[in-house]
Amino acid sequence: MLTPEKAIAIQEALGADIIMCFDECPPATAEYSYVERSLAMTSRWARRCKEARRREDQHLFGIVQGGMHRDLRARSLDNIRSIGFDGYALGGLSVGEEKEQMYDVMDCCSPMMPDDAPRYIMGIGAPEDLIEAVWHGYDMFDCVMPTRNARNGMLFTSRGRINIKAKAHEEDQGPIDPECGCHVCRSYSRAYLRHLYRAGEILASQLNTYHNLHYYLDLMRQARQAIRDDRYADFRREFYARQASDQ
Ligand SMILES: [Zn+2]
């Protein structure tokens, strides 16, 4: 059985820079009363996690739950803030809700998040989700999407997504994304990557994953630069304009 104390002991033994409180992540369809009880339990566990902590060289983040309900999100955030953590995470997103609901939770929590600690949204997301999350003032993300989708042949480009399995790429000698500077785009054609995928070569997964991770990291690099240059609104607009253009 995993307890808050055990979860912290394991993460201290692993030695990660950032460790997370033990929480419950209810599904998007959970009833209001269930989410209400669940967030109270997550708050009790958060306190126990903080008390169980022994190492001071790691950053312990609290997790805000509350489902898709604005009032419950506010209550959870208030609880977690009053305990006090090195950083604050929104959990319980990307669990089957509509995108509008996800963006609504980002929007309602953002003004209540502390200004002097990192803000992390767990388990998102698609490139447009990261663009929206940064727009709402969030800093950190994690997701399986770039790697899992790469293994299924779905590649992210500056003009939107492509499926490398598609017949359209059979004779295409161009790169995945002409605007991408990654090793894969500089070295291999879409036709070759499609061939590798169809032949069941593990190299297809490796090269596709390399490109998708490069895409995500580069997108975040560009977002950071746009914030520094005080032009994030333009950057966001340009991102959507490029996605809309057909390839
Ligand atoms: Zn690339």
Side-chain angles (χ1 to χ4, degrees):
M1 186 170 96
L2 201 54
T3 62
E5 291 76 17
K6 255 189 211 168
I8 294 298
I10 291 166
Q11 293 182 90
E12 291 194 338
L14 289 170
D17 299 327
I18 294 170
I19 62 175
M20 305 301 299
C21 284
F22 192 54
D23 71 325
E24 187 189 27
C25 176
T29 51
E31 300 264 337
Y32 184 92
S33 58
Y34 183 93
V35 178
E36 190 172 29
R37 278 199 310 280
S38 172
L39 83 83
M41 182 173 70
T42 285
S43 301
R44 293 195 300 275
W45 285 355
R47 194 172 291 282
R48 283 169 60 182
C49 286
K50 190 173 174 182
E51 283 164 10
R53 167 185 207 183
R54 295 292 169 265
R55 282 177 65 162
E56 290 300 326
D57 60 335
Q58 294 174 299
H59 303 280
L60 176 60
F61 280 34
I63 304 176
V64 175
Q65 291 287 353
M68 306 305 146
H69 312 287
R70 279 177 163 247
D71 58 327
L72 296 185
R73 283 283 172 184
R75 192 191 305 174
S76 176
L77 185 43
D78 198 46
N79 291 347
I80 299 300
R81 273 193 77 163
S82 70
I83 300 168
F85 290 97
D86 301 317
Y88 295 85
L90 294 188
L93 291 177
S94 208
V95 290
E97 75 279 13
E98 297 294 324
K99 268 195 198 295
E100 285 64 35
Q101 290 179 294
M102 183 204 296
Y103 297 161
D104 187 61
V105 171
M106 289 179 190
D107 184 52
C108 90
C109 292
S110 184
M112 299 180 280
M113 298 287 269
D115 283 330
D116 56 355
R119 304 162 173 202
Y120 164 29
I121 304 188
M122 303 182 76
I124 71 158
E128 62 272 19
D129 299 337
L130 304 191
I131 295 290
E132 290 311 301
V134 171
W135 177 247
H136 283 102
Y138 297 91
D139 308 301
M140 306 165 63
F141 317 98
D142 78 287
C143 195
V144 298
M145 190 174 262
T147 51
R148 187 174 58 198
N149 287 21
R151 294 194 301 274
N152 292 323
M154 207 227 80
L155 304 175
F156 295 96
T157 81
S158 53
R159 288 162 178 238
R161 303 162 191 207
I162 68 161
N163 183 345
I164 202 65
K165 289 171 277 189
K167 179 97 175 145
H169 307 304
E170 189 174 21
E171 307 277 342
D172 192 337
Q173 297 305 313
I176 301 167
D177 183 355
E179 288 177 39
C180 177
C182 91
H183 166 67
V184 178
C185 287
R186 281 187 286 107
S187 312
Y188 305 103
S189 66
R190 290 186 180 193
Y192 179 62
L193 293 167
R194 178 176 184 272
H195 157 73
L196 289 178
Y197 189 93
R198 287 173 55 83
E201 284 286 351
I202 192 69
L203 185 58
S205 290
Q206 293 172 323
L207 296 179
N208 291 345
T209 300
Y210 188 102
H211 165 80
N212 273 0
L213 287 175
H214 186 278
Y215 172 86
Y216 267 69
L217 292 171
D218 195 52
L219 187 68
M220 290 296 96
R221 242 187 313 269
Q222 289 177 41
R224 284 194 294 274
Q225 190 58 48
I227 292 168
R228 278 188 215 107
D229 298 343
D230 198 19
R231 57 176 301 277
Y232 191 80
D234 290 339
F235 172 73
R236 177 170 172 251
R237 205 163 31 241
E238 288 157 15
F239 169 83
Y240 284 113
R242 276 200 313 274
Q243 298 279 302
S245 67
D246 211 1
Q247 40 187 336

